[in-house]
Amino acid sequence: MQIVVNGSAENVPDPALTIAELLQRSGVESPEMVSVQLNGEFVDRQDYGNKSVTDGDEVDFLYFMGGGRA
Amino acid sequence: MTAFATKAIHGALLKPEAHGSLRPPVYDSVAFEFADSHQIQLAFEGRKPAHAYSRITNPTVDEFEQRVRILADALGVIAVSSGMAAISNVIMALAETGANIVTTRWIFGNTYSLFEETFRPWGLETRYVDMEDEKAVAAAIDGKTRVVFLEVITNPQLQVADIDAITEVAHAHGVPVVLDGTVTTPYLFRSRDHGVDVEVISSTKYISGGATSMGGLILDNGLFDWKRNPKLEPYAKKFGPGALLAGLRREVYRNAGACQSAHNAYLQTLGLETLSLRIGKSTANTLALAQWLEKQAKVKSVDYPGLASSIYAKRAAQFFPRGAGGILTLDVASREQCYAFQDALKLVRRATNINDNKSLILHPASTIFCEFDEAQKQSMGVRDTMLRLSVGIEEVEDLIEDLERGLAAL
């Protein structure tokens, strides 16, 4: 299936990939600080292990820091 | 690693330091570069945990924020340029034109000025109540109330409100509680354990290590459901419990430019490491001086929540088991006597700060409350016969000797 991770299209072979597995697979830096959005909606940290992505989903890993204009 | 002093010293070194320096360096740089265009794009989109520009984040400030977060068991911390910046940023993040704040009638003079002279003309109303009267707090809250704001110990009235009762009332109405914990810091009062949603602190005071630098802190304890706040609702949808922190970092804090400098963050991190030692000494000195002053015939009254004679003694013992802070007030016969007393002192300094290493004295009515008329001062609990003594970490025998000098001048 194809999903969009942080704005980039990715092919994911596993049809039942959880958010926790996706975090690990994507090599996300400082995962304890990241905020996950699935199709624009916040995903609670306690749901990372039981919420799976499906074909066409958009996943964003966002940090409070770093964003913005300078 | 659970003890406050241990956590304060060892904190959280976020990344291994390049040279193995035990003391994290001061990243006194405005901007940070990136390996390629994609990396800088990700950083600006908030998709990469990287520092780009020091008005938004800085590694030295980040180190300070993380240490405070660990000490307070907070969800997140943002360090700002002063205590007033902490208050103004939080209020701007939570309230809008047409909304209101409910707060204590005994609020700090500069905070009152912020609410009345800065925010009111923009259409944000502040309602003043007696925080001892929970029914009055409840009655003041309506559908437009965005914050219940109080001080852990009011300055200089030294009132200790029933914080547990206030948080219960506010939460029953779906309103978060913001508490100014400057005079206690997380060492003396764990706001999270008492249901406080957001704590603001002037780290210029105790935390800076002896009036070394200006600074402020915003601590989100992670207790409030920010979906209930209209301004933060869009952030809550994207960031869940991190909505206030995201709203500040990505909007108010960033746009208002109230960032803390790396140099100040370095100094305040140093101060944090000795905080428990200094507060321990300061509060022990304050109690000893309050007990001594109570016995002096020329002193009409002494206020200190840690005194057995204080009307807040029971509450202070419950809320502040490590001590009731480093500020006391004493009343003498007149303003003239106040001036004579403080002018005779040689060790205690006449200055407007609090919680310095040095003991400081001030006549609040003629200084920080000089902009208010007599009726306002009376309603704010500021008496013309009152002196505020912020007790430092000198030896108490030397402080008593100096205060004896002051009393001899009356």
Side-chain angles (χ1 to χ4, degrees):
Chain A
M1 64 178 178
Q2 192 173 67
I3 59 174
V4 178
V5 180
N6 270 1
S8 302
E10 285 191 22
N11 285 309
V12 179
D14 184 351
L17 194 71
T18 65
I19 297 291
E21 289 164 342
L22 184 62
L23 272 166
Q24 195 169 19
R25 181 181 182 276
S26 303
V28 165
E29 289 179 66
S30 306
E32 73 285 356
M33 293 169 66
V34 82
S35 179
V36 178
Q37 288 171 24
L38 178 60
N39 300 320
E41 295 277 344
F42 171 76
V43 180
D44 200 304
R45 196 167 288 272
Q46 65 189 19
D47 293 332
Y48 287 1
N50 55 40
K51 192 170 274 267
S52 300
V53 292
T54 56
D55 189 45
D57 277 349
E58 291 185 17
V59 183
D60 280 294
F61 301 125
L62 296 180
Y63 300 85
F64 303 147
M65 62 192 300
R69 296 178 285 271
Chain B
M1 189 169 76
T2 55
F4 188 97
T6 312
K7 290 196 282 188
I9 289 165
H10 292 284
L13 189 59
L14 305 176
K15 287 184 178 175
E17 205 284 311
H19 302 284
S21 165
L22 280 174
R23 173 72 59 203
V26 184
Y27 288 93
D28 217 349
S29 176
V30 168
F32 301 84
E33 68 174 343
F34 291 81
D36 56 49
S37 307
H38 185 57
Q39 295 303 308
I40 194 167
Q41 178 194 331
L42 290 176
F44 269 64
E45 291 170 345
R47 288 168 161 160
K48 178 182 172 64
H51 302 283
Y53 191 67
S54 285
R55 176 162 47 77
I56 302 162
T57 62
N58 171 281
T60 312
V61 179
D62 193 22
E63 161 82 12
F64 178 49
E65 292 169 341
Q66 293 300 332
R67 287 217 199 183
V68 175
R69 182 184 63 77
I70 289 167
L71 286 173
D73 292 322
L75 175 69
V77 172
I78 294 179
V80 291
S81 55
S82 70
M84 291 309 303
I87 297 170
S88 57
N89 272 242
V90 168
I91 298 298
M92 286 192 284
L94 296 177
E96 75 281 7
T97 298
N100 67 71
I101 305 165
V102 172
T103 192
T104 170
R105 66 189 171 97
W106 284 353
I107 197 152
F108 174 57
N110 213 147
T111 310
Y112 178 85
S113 176
L114 173 73
F115 290 169
E116 288 304 308
E117 293 168 31
T118 308
F119 285 153
R120 192 176 285 276
W122 288 93
L124 177 61
E125 180 197 358
T126 300
R127 299 172 177 182
Y128 301 91
V129 295
D130 181 357
M131 283 286 165
E132 281 290 281
D133 185 351
E134 288 100 41
K135 286 182 182 167
V137 176
I141 296 173
D142 63 17
K144 294 280 188 181
T145 304
R146 300 291 178 252
V147 172
V148 170
F149 183 93
L150 74 160
E151 295 167 6
V152 64
I153 303 174
T154 67
N155 169 20
Q157 306 86 354
L158 306 182
Q159 182 193 54
V160 182
D162 186 346
I163 298 162
D164 293 342
I166 299 296
T167 54
E168 196 175 320
V169 167
H171 292 163
H173 290 80
V175 176
V177 171
V178 178
L179 174 127
D180 186 333
T182 295
V183 298
T184 47
T185 80
Y187 181 68
L188 293 181
F189 182 70
R190 290 180 54 83
S191 66
R192 191 180 198 287
D193 296 347
H194 294 273
V196 171
D197 302 292
V198 178
E199 183 173 355
V200 289
I201 295 174
S202 168
S203 52
T204 310
K205 312 301 189 303
Y206 268 134
I207 290 175
S208 76
T212 64
S213 48
M214 302 297 292
L217 292 162
I218 300 166
L219 289 72
D220 183 345
N221 283 327
L223 303 175
F224 195 77
D225 180 1
W226 296 117
K227 286 198 294 290
R228 304 182 76 169
N229 178 280
K231 271 196 92 173
L232 289 180
E233 200 180 354
Y235 285 104
K237 192 178 173 192
K238 293 176 83 173
F239 293 97
L244 173 62
L245 296 164
L248 284 164
R249 190 74 83 184
R250 297 165 77 96
E251 186 195 323
V252 175
Y253 166 86
R254 186 194 72 190
N255 295 350
C259 54
Q260 186 170 97
S261 75
H263 185 68
N264 282 12
Y266 175 76
L267 291 172
Q268 305 216 342
T269 303
L270 292 182
L272 208 56
E273 293 189 0
T274 57
L275 181 66
S276 59
L277 292 173
R278 291 181 291 102
I279 293 193
K281 179 75 169 168
S282 165
T283 53
N285 278 354
T286 313
L287 180 60
L289 289 186
Q291 290 169 335
W292 181 83
L293 284 164
E294 269 196 319
K295 296 174 188 156
Q296 308 306 310
K298 291 176 180 173
V299 176
K300 303 299 178 194
S301 65
V302 181
D303 274 348
Y304 179 58
L307 274 177
S309 59
S310 167
I311 58 171
Y312 303 114
K314 192 176 169 189
R315 205 173 279 162
Q318 177 199 346
F319 289 158
F320 319 124
R322 286 169 161 162
I327 300 172
L328 63 82
T329 64
L330 62 145
D331 277 64
V332 289
S334 63
R335 174 187 282 218
E336 291 70 29
Q337 283 212 351
C338 287
Y339 283 14
F341 180 88
Q342 62 177 3
D343 287 347
L345 301 177
K346 292 187 174 171
L347 185 64
V348 178
R349 311 295 182 91
R350 290 166 291 276
T352 188
N353 196 18
I354 54 171
N355 302 143
D356 190 350
N357 292 339
K358 300 177 181 71
S359 292
L360 308 173
I361 197 161
L362 193 76
H363 180 248
S366 62
T367 54
I368 47 180
F369 289 87
C370 72
E371 292 174 9
F372 303 107
D373 61 34
E374 290 309 313
Q376 283 176 307
K377 284 181 203 172
Q378 198 173 0
S379 73
M380 294 170 103
V382 177
R383 301 176 297 275
D384 214 29
T385 54
M386 179 174 76
L387 286 163
R388 182 188 74 185
L389 182 60
S390 170
V391 184
I393 59 173
E394 304 94 337
E395 288 306 323
V396 73
E397 293 79 10
D398 292 327
L399 291 171
I400 287 175
E401 186 183 301
D402 203 35
L403 298 186
E404 281 176 334
R405 209 174 279 130
L407 290 174
L410 306 188

